[in-house]
Amino acid sequence: MTKNYLEIPEELYNKLSDYAENDQLSIRLENQQILLENPKINHTNKQNLALHYFIVPSLASGIIALLIFLSTNHPQIAFTGSRHLSVASLSIILSTLFGFLGFIWTYLRKSCDLSKSKFKIFRETLTLSVAYTSISFAVQIIFWYIIGKTFSGVTFDPFTAGFLVLVFVGIIFYFLISAALSITLPNLILLLFTTFIGGILVSMATNNQKDWWQHNFSFLGTGEATQHWQFNITLIFSALILLTITDFLFAEFSKSSLYNYKFKIIRVFYILIALLIAFVGIFPAQSWTMPIHNNSAFGLVAVVLIMIIFLKWLVPTISKEFLALSWTALIALILSAVAFMGIHYLSLTVFEIIAFAIAFTWLVMFINSLRGIIQEGNEWQVKLLQK
């Protein structure tokens, strides 16, 4: 009888031994990838968990909605609109409330890195739950706005309306639970982009009539701006998400043989950058907070410049392509500064947008480069043998 073997390096064998259950591993194909897993730990399917978790909150939301609709004594309940309680308004309220609590509960229950402190776990959980819930809230607002324009004047009896609330809350809750069970570094990077760019665009749109661009970019966070809290909260939460990304990245890096004091310096840089971004939002560009705001903004760009200048020393194995891209970003930052302060070609608003966009994009791309280095350090060559 022919036997098939997989010849692997000893280092890989030692790592796999830590994951094996009684010297047994399960293997499966997924998205053109071969995954080796502990059969006991990974026995429960994430989709089944999400289905299991979302049933009770969905039923509870349907019952609550039905009781509220019946208590209004209205024979017909509006699909959308705010004249009376509607399917749309209750769906948004209940899905946001249950989704927020469900995300927290699910994220805390799933396996976490035991080396993390309770404070880090609390910060990550609160940050991610608020971020994902806020995104779901924004998506629902857009969705119900379109539905309101499409099905204007549509009404249902209380029982049908309650069932519809159950369905819509269940859909949102399912995706939030699935997200909590599938937190990965690429997902966090996408979340950072979504939160930052989405929040900034909303701030720009709501201040269009105030001609904010004639002042400066930071005007969006001042008391003179319309709903200035959106701009400031966006920066603060972006900083918290960046801290979470830093924790995820370097928790993975610390298990690699490549991890040394230089990567600890990079980690400190990222923590400092996150704090500076938060300070830009906490201290608006007005009155006594102006010096702190300006120093934080300039400090952010300065730290990025320092990282680029010492990049080759910090990460000797960095790719030539990313190194060339980094120097291009450095030159672009310097040229934009000269165009603003030297020849006054750029306005303050344009300079701030260019500098912040370059710095922010480079920081995210650097995270992806570091992640690629980790993956390269976790690659081994294996052989298929048949005897």
Side-chain angles (χ1 to χ4, degrees):
M1 180 179 177
T2 303
K3 292 186 177 181
N4 303 314
Y5 298 90
L6 189 67
E7 186 179 83
I8 62 176
E10 184 176 355
E11 183 183 1
L12 176 58
Y13 174 82
N14 293 332
K15 287 184 176 294
L16 292 177
S17 299
D18 297 333
Y19 293 97
E21 180 72 23
N22 298 323
D23 294 329
Q24 295 290 319
L25 288 169
S26 66
I27 187 169
R28 61 188 174 92
L29 298 177
E30 182 178 309
N31 298 326
Q32 298 183 337
Q33 292 180 330
I34 299 175
L35 303 178
L36 281 170
E37 301 173 326
N38 183 314
K40 182 175 290 187
I41 293 177
N42 295 283
H43 179 70
T44 305
N45 186 279
K46 291 181 179 180
Q47 296 295 326
N48 292 335
L49 282 174
L51 286 170
H52 175 71
Y53 289 160
F54 99 110
I55 291 174
V56 173
S58 300
L59 290 174
S61 64
I63 294 172
I64 292 172
L66 176 60
L67 293 175
I68 293 175
F69 290 148
L70 290 174
S71 67
T72 61
N73 294 321
H74 289 287
Q76 291 294 110
I77 304 298
F79 195 26
T80 61
S82 56
R83 182 177 179 183
H84 303 295
L85 283 175
S86 63
V87 173
S89 60
L90 269 187
S91 296
I92 293 173
I93 293 171
L94 292 175
S95 63
T96 301
L97 176 61
F98 282 119
F100 177 73
L101 297 176
F103 191 102
I104 291 176
W105 183 75
T106 306
Y107 188 78
L108 289 176
R109 275 181 61 89
K110 82 170 200 171
S111 57
C112 298
D113 188 348
L114 297 178
S115 65
K116 292 182 181 179
S117 65
K118 291 183 178 180
F119 173 75
K120 283 186 178 180
I121 294 176
F122 171 78
R123 189 194 69 215
E124 286 179 10
T125 305
L126 185 61
T127 299
L128 294 176
S129 59
V130 171
Y132 274 100
T133 306
S134 299
I135 291 173
S136 71
F137 178 81
V139 170
Q140 288 181 85
I141 294 295
I142 297 172
F143 170 79
W144 284 113
Y145 175 79
I146 296 172
I147 292 297
K149 294 294 183 182
T150 307
F151 298 99
S152 178
V154 174
T155 61
F156 300 98
D157 65 88
F159 290 94
T160 303
F163 175 75
L164 288 174
V165 171
L166 182 153
V167 172
F168 287 118
V169 171
I171 292 172
I172 297 299
F173 196 84
Y174 173 77
F175 282 107
L176 284 173
I177 295 302
S178 298
L181 291 168
S182 307
I183 297 295
T184 60
L185 194 56
N187 290 343
L188 289 176
I189 293 173
L190 179 61
L191 176 65
L192 177 61
F193 261 109
T194 305
T195 302
F196 182 78
I197 296 176
I200 295 299
L201 289 177
V202 169
S203 299
M204 290 179 178
T206 55
N207 286 277
N208 184 46
Q209 294 181 346
K210 286 185 174 291
D211 294 334
W212 62 270
W213 46 270
Q214 294 185 5
H215 301 272
N216 52 58
F217 190 57
S218 299
F219 173 83
L220 296 171
T222 64
E224 299 177 37
T226 303
Q227 297 179 339
H228 60 277
W229 61 270
Q230 293 177 346
F231 179 81
N232 296 327
I233 290 295
T234 295
L235 292 177
I236 294 170
F237 263 96
S238 296
L240 290 173
I241 295 172
L242 183 58
L243 280 177
T244 302
I245 290 174
T246 302
D247 290 340
F248 269 73
L249 176 66
F250 288 95
E252 188 177 354
F253 228 136
S254 62
K255 300 173 185 177
S256 170
S257 58
L258 301 173
Y259 192 65
N260 55 35
Y261 75 96
K262 293 182 181 179
F263 288 105
K264 292 181 181 180
I265 294 174
I266 296 174
R267 184 173 192 170
V268 171
F269 276 139
Y270 266 99
I271 293 174
L272 178 59
I273 288 170
L275 291 175
L276 291 172
I277 293 175
F279 283 171
V280 172
I282 294 172
F283 302 101
Q286 56 188 23
S287 64
W288 66 271
T289 60
M290 180 70 81
I292 303 176
H293 177 92
N294 289 340
N295 288 330
S296 298
F298 284 119
L300 169 63
V301 176
V303 173
V304 171
L305 291 175
I306 292 172
M307 291 177 70
I308 293 175
I309 292 172
F310 291 97
L311 181 60
K312 187 61 178 177
W313 177 77
L314 289 169
V315 191
T317 57
I318 199 73
S319 67
K320 294 181 180 178
E321 293 77 10
F322 185 75
L323 191 61
L325 179 66
S326 300
W327 281 102
T328 302
L330 176 67
I331 294 170
L333 285 171
I334 295 174
L335 289 177
S336 61
V338 171
F340 166 61
M341 293 182 288
I343 61 178
H344 306 292
Y345 176 74
L346 297 177
S347 67
L348 176 58
T349 303
V350 174
F351 169 67
E352 288 180 325
I353 293 176
I354 291 175
F356 211 82
I358 293 174
F360 182 78
T361 304
W362 183 86
L363 287 171
V364 174
M365 294 181 69
F366 188 34
I367 289 173
N368 275 323
S369 295
L370 292 175
R371 182 168 162 266
I373 292 173
I374 296 174
Q375 292 175 338
E376 289 176 3
N378 289 331
E379 290 183 2
W380 293 271
Q381 298 297 318
V382 300
K383 287 184 180 180
L384 293 174
L385 301 177
Q386 193 176 71
K387 294 182 180 180

